[in-house]
């Protein structure tokens, strides 16, 4: 008995694909998910009812608010992990399991545009949040609770600028000779 299997044609290799990313870019890409981790863990602990120096929150958070907060943490971490794609082969070729585009070359302009838009959005979001946190009345926290929130959320200020630097390195590697 013989079985015939359809073999998809190999994606055409572009001369600029497969170049190694600079060492600093690889380290930065792996650092970004670590920057988002403290804020995510802080939110999950808040949902679990861990006393974090918040005023008026006594016990676990339940219902849709809990689902929202945990989902926010998971989605933030997943988005941060996408930065690794800017230094790995899966940032150059779409995974085969994706419908329609699986196995095809990632157009560098698509990746650069998406990463740049994300980085600018992160800079605006976390910049606004930081200014708001400094200028706002912080009566919802004890002094120690406010310090903990600041320590957990301050690393997010680096997420956007580091993503921009990674995007520039990706662009140089994939678009310039």
């Amino acid at each position: 008995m013989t079985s015939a299997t359809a073999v998809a044609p190999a994606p055409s290799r572009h001369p600029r694909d497969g170049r190694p990313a600079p060492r600093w870019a690889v380290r930065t890409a792996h650092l970004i998910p670590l920057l988002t981790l403290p804020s995510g863990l802080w939110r999950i602990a808040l949902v679990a009812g861990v006393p974090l120096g918040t005023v008026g929150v006594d016990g676990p958070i339940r219902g849709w608010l809990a689902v929202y907060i945990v989902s926010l943490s998971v989605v933030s971490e997943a988005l941060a992990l996408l930065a690794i794609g800017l230094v790995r082969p899966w940032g150059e070729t779409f995974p085969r399991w994706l419908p329609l585009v699986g196995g095809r070359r990632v157009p560098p302009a698509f990746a650069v545009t998406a990463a740049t838009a994300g980085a600018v959005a992160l800079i605006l979001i976390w910049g606004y949040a930081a200014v708001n946190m400094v200028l706002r009345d912080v009566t919802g926290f004890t002094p120690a609770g406010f310090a903990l929130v600041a320590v957990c959320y301050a690393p997010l200020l680096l997420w956007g600028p580091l993503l921009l630097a990674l995007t520039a390195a990706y662009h140089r590697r994939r678009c310039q000779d």
Side-chain angles (χ1 to χ4, degrees):
M1 268 199 218
T2 62
S3 64
T5 57
V7 178
S12 62
R13 293 281 298 163
H14 193 277
R16 294 187 197 112
D17 289 352
R19 294 183 192 177
R23 186 191 243 120
W24 70 264
V26 173
R27 288 182 179 153
T28 301
H30 287 85
L31 173 67
I32 288 175
L34 297 175
L35 294 175
T36 62
L37 197 57
S39 61
L41 293 175
W42 184 88
R43 287 189 295 267
I44 290 171
L46 186 67
V47 168
V50 176
L52 298 170
T54 54
V55 176
V57 179
D58 11 320
I61 297 173
R62 302 199 189 286
W64 285 108
L65 182 58
V67 171
Y68 167 74
I69 292 171
V70 171
S71 298
L72 179 63
S73 298
V74 170
V75 168
S76 295
E77 198 62 34
L79 289 173
L81 286 166
L82 284 177
I84 297 173
L86 295 173
V87 297
R88 293 287 178 239
W90 54 269
E92 296 180 6
T93 305
F94 287 110
R96 290 211 174 271
W97 54 266
L98 285 174
L100 302 175
V101 295
R104 294 185 184 179
R105 182 176 192 258
V106 173
F110 169 75
V112 168
T113 301
T116 301
V120 169
L122 289 167
I123 290 168
L124 293 173
I125 289 166
W126 295 117
Y128 173 79
V131 168
N132 193 32
M133 191 174 199
V134 169
L135 298 178
R136 200 172 139 211
D137 181 22
V138 292
T139 55
F141 297 99
T142 64
F146 181 75
L148 179 62
V149 168
V151 166
C152 289
Y153 277 82
L156 295 175
L157 290 168
L158 297 174
W159 188 2
L162 290 177
L163 184 57
L164 270 181
L166 272 181
T167 304
Y170 180 88
H171 181 266
R172 272 193 301 275
R173 185 168 53 93
R174 301 257 346 257
C175 298
Q176 296 176 354
D177 288 325

